[in-house]
Amino acid sequence: MTTPPPTPPDRTPTAAAEPGAGSAGATQDALRVAIIGNPNTGKTTLFNALTGLRQRVGNFAGVTVERVEGGFRGPDGRRITVLDLPGSYSLSAGSPDERVALDVLLNRDGGHWTPDVVLVVVDAVHLERNLFLAGQIIELGLPVVIALNQFDVAQAEGITIDVPELIHELGVPIVPTVAKRGEGLDPLKRALLTATTLPVPSRKFVLPPAVQQALAPVHACLVAGGFSHSAAGMEALRLLGGNRTEPHLVDVPQLAERVQEAAASLKAQGFSPSRLESEVRYAWIAQVIERTTSRPRAIKRNLSDRIDRVVLHRVFGPLIFLVLMAVVFQAVFSWAAPLMDGIEGLIATMGGAVGDRMTDGDLKSLVVDGVFGGVGSVLVFLPQIAILFAFITLLEHSGYMARAAFLMDRIMRTVGLHGKSFIPMLSGYACAVPGVMATRTIEDPKDRLATIMVVPLMSCSARLPVYTLLIGAFVPATSLFPGLTMQGATMLGMYLLGTVAALAVAAIFKRTLLKGPVRPMILELPPYRWPSPWSLLVSVAQRCQLFLRRAGTVILALSIVLWALATYPKTPVDNALPEEIQQEQQLEHSILGQTGRAIEPLVRPLGYDWKIGVSIAASFAAREVFVSTMGTIYGVGSENEAALTEKLVAETNPVTGKKVYTPLIAIGLMVFYVFALMCISTIAVTVREAGGGALGWKWATIQFAYMLALAYGAAWVVYAGGTALGWGG
């Protein structure tokens, strides 16, 4: 039998101090608020407005769905902790995201996070659709506060909402807000504090007597299984058309039998069990809307509709998407250049200042060549990564990403998926880990697994330092036409190559190991909105912080290890030889050099020398390590990243005298990195998302193996084909 949930927290008036209580409130326990809402309601914007940068990102216990938790001080000084639950259209638990939200709200996640108050964010413009989820949550027996967000947009469209009457209809506090401008936050904070002092809300409509009678045994079964009286009522109605094998229900004795009996009884009386919840809830919602909301009779084509006539056009739509991507990648080069120069100068100054104050020896070499040469060569790419994340966040928050998924639906269906799978793939442009986690919104297990298998083919921000280093060194900045150079076009080509490959591989999986029907896509197109500058800043700052943390931990540690491998054992050299020759001999006889020589036969068919081979091997932990390894090998020391590109361009084979790095080698190396899975974090999240245990490792192994084979084969084709055409010089 399922263990009953813990006793809910005290709901007496002393549980939360009234606003204005002064410092006394600060001594009370933190108030825990779970925030939930439909996608595109401004939930994340409101969360960011409430918590600012006082957030931390992790995973829900036992699953890899990202959880973002933050906090702030209430008007009375009391600490309020906020958990941002995944966006959900209902508590039907049709996707893993919705199951996580349901488990937290029902206190079925192992007691890891029990909310004191639930903050439901609803879109004032689409109130009727949003009240379905709000109505379900009101029936859970928890204090509820509703944020009536985007209230300004509703007013601009001539929608009038009688807020006091709506409060009366729903029986919970309702606060109009405009999250992107921070309006309504103070009343909302006060409402959260006082919500625990109010009567617990309950269902606001009455089921037909026949339905009540049929569901009574199901209700009793759930109460006996540990559900509260109110939550059992919501679950009993939901289960008529939902999944009866959900983890939090499988241990409730005889539940499946009682639900089947109730469904059979209702069907015999002329009801449709699978549609019953929708019918009764929307009938109630229609009455609420009629009594509280008025709309203008003449429905004008709004701005979003007018924009969509162009953006979603069969011909112009894909072209606009391609142009936007070209602008993004050109901006990554042109806009970031001054900032990169500044960081290069700062690193050079710091490295020189530190080196000048140290005596010659291994310690100085460690600091200058290992730390500044390794980590510094990666940090210089921070502006480009920030610009990339800013563009991706801007497209997401503005509402364009949903249009991109809609545009791609026709192409996705040809490979056996639908446009909804393209959203996690687009997320993969930033990072494969959240991209893989974003597949939890896909209901069909085979579609979800096929998407997981191809998300890492989308060029993530970790590949950006590799692309930028090689493009900056070997691709000229020749202007193709106004606004786009050869460098930007090459970058765009790498991203398109990964995207096309992902679609091709998905088609193979959907026709072989993961064969299944193509399901229709149901996707809401949110209205276009100007993103909140603060929300945009928070999102970009979080991603930059993760990159810096990675540079300061994983890359720093690997840089130190690689420096040691490149420095020892010490080899006697002829002091009469030029210094560069001495350094080359020392490097070749070091542990790193000997390892590279062992690896070289494997990469020689691709045109690579041992230095590239050992840098590739080191970067299997993280792709950015390729750049830091090259920086360590070439001993750039206190010099900036531009010095590394100059050394790559000038590097020659001491035996043949030929250039080690050519444009053909650079293109082949970038193609290798387009396809290769070099990210331990992605492998780990694939294992868990693909089923965990032996099953998860099976799919992760398949993913790693096919991507490595694809990378090696594609790089060989580029090198062999280019050499045959005489491009190898």
Side-chain angles (χ1 to χ4, degrees):
M1 177 179 293
T2 304
T3 305
T7 303
D10 183 17
R11 305 298 183 197
T12 61
T14 58
E18 291 294 328
S23 60
T27 63
Q28 299 173 343
D29 294 336
L31 184 74
R32 300 207 285 186
V33 177
I35 181 170
I36 190 171
N38 290 178
N40 306 313
T41 57
K43 177 175 67 71
T44 300
T45 302
L46 182 60
F47 175 82
N48 289 337
L50 287 170
T51 63
L53 291 172
R54 299 174 296 278
Q55 307 170 8
R56 66 173 184 270
V57 180
N59 291 330
F60 286 97
V63 294
T64 50
V65 174
E66 189 177 82
R67 64 181 287 167
V68 183
E69 192 172 323
F72 58 91
R73 290 288 177 185
D76 64 345
R78 186 177 183 184
R79 176 73 177 173
I80 300 178
T81 303
V82 185
L83 176 66
D84 189 11
L85 292 175
S88 305
Y89 287 105
S90 72
L91 297 181
S92 63
S95 68
D97 271 356
E98 291 176 344
R99 282 198 290 274
V100 165
L102 184 61
D103 286 343
V104 170
L105 295 176
L106 290 176
N107 193 21
R108 298 283 166 161
D109 67 336
H112 295 288
W113 214 96
T114 306
D116 299 308
V117 180
V118 181
L119 174 58
V120 185
V121 184
V122 303
D123 182 356
V125 180
H126 303 99
L127 188 58
E128 183 173 7
R129 182 171 65 238
N130 285 219
L131 284 182
F132 190 97
L133 174 65
Q136 287 181 317
I137 294 173
I138 285 172
E139 296 174 20
L140 292 177
L142 292 169
V144 174
V145 174
I146 291 179
L148 194 58
N149 200 30
Q150 299 170 34
F151 199 70
D152 59 330
V153 179
Q155 291 177 323
E157 294 188 8
I159 301 173
T160 302
I161 301 175
D162 187 341
V163 177
E165 180 62 24
L166 188 61
I167 293 173
H168 173 74
E169 291 287 341
L170 302 184
V172 298
I174 299 175
V175 181
T177 60
V178 182
K180 66 181 180 181
R181 296 205 297 258
E183 296 178 8
L185 296 186
D186 289 339
L188 184 62
K189 293 175 182 179
R190 290 193 294 269
L192 291 173
L193 287 172
T194 58
T196 56
T197 69
L198 302 175
V200 176
S202 59
R203 179 177 290 166
K204 301 304 176 184
F205 58 89
V206 179
L207 294 173
V211 176
Q212 294 185 45
Q213 183 176 358
L215 290 179
V218 180
H219 184 277
C221 194
L222 289 166
V223 171
F227 286 78
S228 68
H229 178 84
S230 183
M234 190 281 294
E235 280 283 76
L237 183 59
R238 185 182 70 86
L239 286 174
L240 286 175
N243 183 3
R244 299 159 195 172
T245 60
E246 294 164 21
H248 70 287
L249 299 172
V250 292
D251 294 332
V252 179
Q254 300 181 330
L255 178 61
E257 293 87 346
R258 296 292 176 266
V259 174
Q260 290 176 358
E261 292 170 0
S265 173
L266 290 170
K267 191 173 183 179
Q269 298 180 65
F271 292 95
S272 174
S274 62
R275 298 199 303 266
L276 182 60
E277 182 183 21
S278 297
E279 290 173 351
V280 296
R281 287 199 187 280
Y282 278 118
W284 165 70
I285 290 172
Q287 295 174 2
V288 172
I289 296 296
E290 183 179 2
R291 289 193 284 263
T292 62
T293 306
S294 63
R295 293 175 176 268
R297 290 186 178 182
I299 300 177
K300 299 180 181 179
R301 183 179 293 275
N302 58 32
L303 180 61
S304 293
D305 293 334
R306 294 196 295 271
I307 295 175
D308 281 342
R309 293 181 65 182
V310 178
V311 171
L312 299 181
H313 192 273
R314 296 170 66 91
V315 177
F316 298 128
L319 291 177
I320 291 172
F321 176 72
L322 193 61
V323 169
L324 280 174
M325 293 299 101
V327 169
V328 169
F329 300 126
Q330 181 60 42
V332 164
F333 272 99
S334 58
W335 295 6
L339 297 174
M340 292 178 69
D341 292 342
I343 295 178
E344 288 170 0
L346 179 61
I347 292 174
T349 301
M350 293 175 61
V354 172
D356 291 343
R357 287 166 174 76
M358 300 180 69
T359 57
D360 292 340
D362 286 352
L363 181 59
K364 178 179 178 179
S365 177
L366 168 62
V367 174
V368 175
D369 297 335
V371 176
F372 285 95
V375 179
S377 60
V378 174
L379 286 178
V380 73
F381 299 104
L382 179 62
Q384 291 184 315
I385 289 174
I387 290 173
L388 178 63
F389 277 120
F391 269 105
I392 291 176
T393 305
L394 182 66
L395 294 177
E396 287 177 344
H397 289 193
S398 67
Y400 181 77
M401 279 299 194
R403 272 75 181 180
F406 181 84
L407 288 171
M408 291 299 298
D409 181 60
R410 188 181 309 148
I411 298 175
M412 299 292 286
R413 290 176 69 83
T414 63
V415 304
L417 299 174
H418 54 60
K420 199 171 184 180
S421 294
F422 193 63
I423 295 178
M425 293 169 67
L426 283 173
S427 299
Y429 281 155
C431 179
V433 172
V436 170
M437 293 191 295
T439 63
R440 297 182 73 90
T441 61
I442 301 173
E443 293 83 0
D444 184 83
K446 290 185 177 179
D447 286 353
R448 179 169 175 260
L449 189 53
T451 307
I452 289 173
M453 298 302 287
V454 301
V455 163
L457 285 169
M458 312 298 283
S459 285
C460 64
S461 60
R463 292 174 169 99
L464 196 57
V466 180
Y467 294 163
T468 302
L469 175 68
L470 297 173
I471 291 174
F474 299 100
V475 178
T478 307
S479 177
L480 297 178
F481 49 83
L484 182 64
T485 65
M486 182 69 77
Q487 292 181 332
T490 303
M491 180 76 79
L492 176 62
M494 293 299 111
Y495 278 78
L496 289 178
L497 177 61
T499 304
V500 172
L503 296 175
V505 172
I508 295 172
F509 274 113
K510 285 295 293 180
R511 286 165 174 76
T512 54
L513 299 178
L514 299 171
K515 190 174 183 179
V518 180
R519 300 175 181 272
M521 181 184 70
I522 301 176
L523 182 67
E524 178 186 3
L525 294 180
Y528 291 99
R529 301 187 182 95
W530 286 109
S532 162
W534 177 250
S535 184
L536 184 66
L537 175 64
V538 169
S539 298
V540 174
Q542 286 178 338
R543 296 302 179 184
C544 290
Q545 185 180 20
L546 291 175
F547 174 77
L548 291 174
R549 187 181 305 161
R550 189 185 184 98
T553 54
V554 175
I555 295 174
L556 174 61
L558 288 173
S559 295
I560 293 174
V561 171
L562 289 168
W563 170 86
L565 295 177
T567 304
Y568 300 106
K570 294 288 187 178
T571 303
V573 295
D574 186 352
N575 293 329
L577 294 173
E579 185 177 351
E580 291 185 1
I581 302 297
Q582 294 181 36
Q583 293 175 350
E584 186 72 21
Q585 289 182 352
Q586 167 60 39
L587 187 60
E588 287 188 7
H589 291 88
S590 68
I591 297 175
L592 189 66
Q594 296 176 43
T595 303
R597 293 297 183 187
I599 294 174
E600 190 171 28
L602 298 176
V603 299
R604 178 54 65 186
L606 308 182
Y608 307 154
D609 68 351
W610 71 266
K611 296 177 183 178
I612 300 178
V614 79
S615 298
I616 289 175
S619 67
F620 272 95
R623 297 179 182 93
E624 308 97 317
V625 175
F626 174 85
V627 177
S628 63
T629 305
M630 297 295 280
T632 301
I633 288 176
Y634 282 94
V636 295
S638 62
E639 300 176 56
N640 57 29
E641 188 268 339
L644 176 57
T645 61
E646 291 170 4
K647 290 201 172 192
L648 296 182
V649 172
E651 179 77 354
T652 58
N653 188 309
V655 177
T656 64
K658 293 184 178 180
K659 293 283 187 181
V660 174
Y661 301 94
T662 65
L664 181 62
I665 295 294
I667 295 296
L669 194 52
M670 284 189 286
V671 168
F672 182 91
Y673 273 92
V674 166
F675 295 123
L677 177 56
M678 294 177 165
C679 182
I680 293 175
S681 299
T682 301
I683 295 172
V685 77
T686 296
V687 170
R688 298 187 65 177
E689 289 296 325
L695 179 62
W697 278 108
K698 167 193 167 184
W699 286 108
T701 302
I702 292 173
Q703 184 185 61
F704 180 83
Y706 95 74
M707 290 184 67
L708 181 59
L710 194 59
Y712 194 94
W716 180 84
V717 168
V718 170
Y719 179 69
T723 301
L725 294 173
W727 297 344

